[in-house]
């Protein structure tokens, strides 16, 4: 029996609704698998936890999480209780940084049954590989003086180590897929970090002669995500550029509410963390209309990471079959509630798994 220790953090808002639905799917997968079991340890860390305790997680929070095989996160943030830079910095970003989750992977593909806002989407299937530890989101900088004399400096920090490992990961992924890699740059306007990014790309590419590489400026690439997404496969990008592109990816899929993500630790010292791209949406919490697909697709990515690729494929197929049948939450044009969507996905998984050959 393969036992997976899973740390579960529902977080804020709809995270507290979609996470339990995704766990129902994981329990179904475990039952079908027969040799797999999940042991859940739930942590109530959230904005409400901060109000009650003055911190987003306890002092030994990271030690507790380090004992798990993976972290399954819902959504963090409730500005009515805690400012976003406090809630994110005290939990989400803290976990990413302290656990060296240096790669962020976000797929963007047109799922069967989804309606893209693009007039002719042509079945795109993009995998965005985002540097997750430095770049434009580095906390280096500061503010001095006041009034009209105030000066703000925000430093982008790019290291050879950080840029090399995200590119190597992307090249390896491209090798497993179509053999095509696109790099997001802006070396015609950002004169230090982006030429460096391009130089490292060219250096790494020498070890992957079988991969077709193109280097595109971020403004043009953003436009290409809309005008010809079917020409993209693996896209590697810096922290900021990857964040922007993945949101565009969610939009052209038909909703950012269905988009998943993985925060990957490469060295095996710490667990990786899996979370949907969507936010906590506290305005719809408790209404039963939150879309569970982003969290369930995130569970599929976690299954893949844990070596259960066949089970992950079963989950994604069930998501597509459910969407194709028109069983959707209101945000994507349906009339079903969160439980009905999850029930349909589970029924699809069971039907396919137990169908006689």
């Amino acid at each position: 029996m393969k036992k997976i220790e899973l740390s579960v953090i529902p977080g804020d808002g709809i995270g507290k609704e979609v996470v339990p639905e995704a766990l129902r799917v994981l329990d179904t997968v475990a039952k079908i698998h027969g040799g797999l079991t999940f042991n859940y340890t739930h942590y109530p860390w959230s904005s409400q936890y901060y109000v009650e305790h003055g911190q987003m997680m306890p002092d030994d929070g990271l030690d507790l999480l380090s004992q798990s095989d993976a972290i399954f996160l819902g959504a963090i943030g409730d500005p009515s209780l805690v400012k976003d830079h406090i809630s994110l910095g005290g939990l989400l970003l803290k976990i990413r940084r302290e656990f060296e989750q240096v790669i962020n992977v976000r797929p963007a593909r047109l799922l069967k049954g989804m309606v893209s806002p693009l007039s002719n989407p042509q079945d795109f299937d993009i995998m965005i590989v985002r540097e997750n530890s430095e770049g434009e989101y580095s906390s280096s900088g500061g503010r001095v003086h006041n009034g009209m004399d105030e000066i703000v400096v925000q430093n982008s920090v790019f290291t050879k180590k950080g840029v090399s490992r995200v590119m190597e990961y992307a090249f390896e992924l491209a090798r497993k897929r179509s053999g095509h890699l696109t790099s997001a740059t802006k070396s015609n306007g950002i004169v230090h970090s982006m030429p460096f990014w391009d130089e490292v790309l060219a250096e790494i590419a020498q070890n992957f002669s079988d991969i077709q590489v193109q280097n595109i400026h971020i403004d043009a690439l953003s436009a290409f995500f809309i005008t010809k997404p079917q020409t993209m496969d693996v896209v590697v990008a810096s922290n900021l550029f990857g964040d922007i592109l993945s949101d565009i990816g969610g939009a052209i899929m038909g909703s950012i509410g269905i988009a998943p993500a993985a925060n990957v630790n490469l060295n095996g010292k710490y667990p990786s963390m899996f979370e949907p791209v969507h936010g906590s949406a506290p305005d719809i919490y408790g209404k039963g209309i939150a879309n569970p697909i982003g969290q369930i697709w995130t569970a599929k990515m976690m299954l893949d990471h844990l070596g259960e690729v066949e089970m992950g494929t079963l989950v994604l197929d069930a998501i597509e079959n459910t969407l194709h049948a028109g069983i959707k939450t209101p945000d994507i044009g349906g009339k079903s509630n969160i439980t009905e969507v999850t029930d349909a996905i589970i029924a699809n998984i069971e039907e396919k798994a137990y169908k006689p050959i």
Side-chain angles (χ1 to χ4, degrees):
M1 180 69 71
K2 179 179 178 180
K3 185 177 181 180
I4 294 174
E5 297 290 339
L6 193 61
S7 290
V8 180
I9 310 174
D12 293 305
I14 62 170
K16 293 179 285 187
E17 293 181 292
V18 296
V19 166
E21 298 299 312
L23 296 185
R24 289 208 289 135
V25 173
L26 287 175
D27 287 339
T28 301
V29 166
K31 180 180 67 174
I32 289 169
H33 187 286
L36 176 67
T37 182
F38 292 97
N39 183 40
Y40 306 124
T41 303
H42 296 265
Y43 296 105
W45 306 335
S46 61
S47 296
Q48 184 60 46
Y49 184 92
Y50 182 91
V51 171
E52 296 171 1
H53 300 276
Q55 54 187 350
M56 289 298 295
M57 67 167 73
D59 293 337
D60 63 346
L62 292 176
D63 290 335
L64 294 172
L65 295 176
S66 68
Q67 300 170 34
S68 59
D69 296 308
I71 302 165
F72 199 51
L73 177 67
I76 298 299
D78 187 341
S80 68
L81 297 176
V82 183
K83 291 183 178 180
D84 281 344
H85 72 278
I86 295 175
S87 60
L88 293 176
L91 187 61
L92 175 64
L93 297 181
K94 186 177 181 67
I95 295 171
R96 284 181 181 176
R97 290 168 179 165
E98 295 295 326
F99 282 176
E100 299 177 24
Q101 295 168 350
V102 296
I103 306 290
N104 184 266
V105 183
R106 296 182 174 184
R109 57 179 287 185
L110 185 60
L111 297 181
K112 181 174 64 175
M114 283 296 295
V115 179
S116 171
L118 302 180
S119 60
N120 187 21
Q122 297 187 45
D123 292 333
F124 57 86
D125 184 357
I126 307 169
M127 193 68 75
I128 300 161
V129 179
R130 168 191 173 194
E131 202 291 315
N132 207 35
S133 65
E134 50 183 42
E136 303 90 347
Y137 289 177
S138 303
S139 56
S140 174
R143 303 170 71 150
V144 294
H145 307 311
N146 298 302
M148 292 301 293
D149 292 323
E150 187 172 12
I151 299 171
V152 178
V153 176
Q154 178 73 49
N155 296 318
S156 295
V157 178
F158 288 74
T159 67
K160 184 69 172 290
K161 180 179 180 180
V163 175
S164 296
R165 66 192 171 197
V166 72
M167 288 184 176
E168 288 171 354
Y169 186 97
F171 270 104
E172 292 288 356
L173 184 59
R175 180 172 278 169
K176 296 174 183 176
R177 288 168 57 97
S178 72
H180 186 272
L181 177 71
T182 300
S183 173
T185 187
K186 191 56 183 171
S187 50
N188 63 344
I190 302 177
V191 299
H192 297 300
S193 61
M194 285 294 105
F196 172 72
W197 176 275
D198 295 349
E199 291 163 11
V200 177
L201 176 72
E203 181 179 320
I204 301 296
Q206 294 177 16
N207 300 321
F208 294 89
S209 58
D210 56 320
I211 305 299
Q212 182 183 352
V213 182
Q214 60 178 348
N215 204 18
I216 303 178
H217 292 136
I218 183 63
D219 42 356
L221 185 54
S222 298
F224 292 160
F225 261 54
I226 296 169
T227 59
K228 49 180 182 180
Q230 74 280 1
T231 66
M232 305 293 161
D233 185 32
V234 177
V235 177
V236 64
S238 66
N239 213 330
L240 175 62
F241 291 175
D243 199 3
I244 293 169
L245 290 173
S246 59
D247 276 13
I248 297 174
I252 63 176
M253 282 196 292
S255 172
I256 201 170
I258 68 170
N263 299 285
V264 181
N265 170 271
L266 296 177
N267 58 29
K269 293 180 180 178
Y270 307 103
S272 295
M273 179 168 63
F274 300 83
E275 54 167 330
V277 176
H278 66 67
S280 58
D283 57 316
I284 64 168
Y285 169 62
K287 297 181 180 180
I289 60 173
N291 193 333
I293 288 178
Q295 193 76 51
I296 295 171
W297 193 354
T298 296
K300 179 263 195 249
M301 294 188 74
M302 184 176 69
L303 287 167
D304 291 346
H305 177 79
L306 295 170
E308 300 297 335
V309 177
E310 184 178 355
M311 293 294 102
T313 300
L314 196 63
V315 171
L316 187 56
D317 286 347
I319 289 172
E320 290 199 274
N321 291 336
T322 299
L323 290 169
H324 189 62
I327 304 172
K328 308 174 183 179
T329 46
D331 59 303
I332 52 175
K335 297 181 180 179
S336 302
N337 62 35
I338 183 173
T339 304
E340 291 168 340
V341 171
T342 307
D343 286 346
I345 291 172
I346 289 173
N348 268 276
I349 292 172
E350 292 177 334
E351 179 182 2
K352 186 171 182 180
Y354 297 131
K355 185 176 181 180
I357 298 176

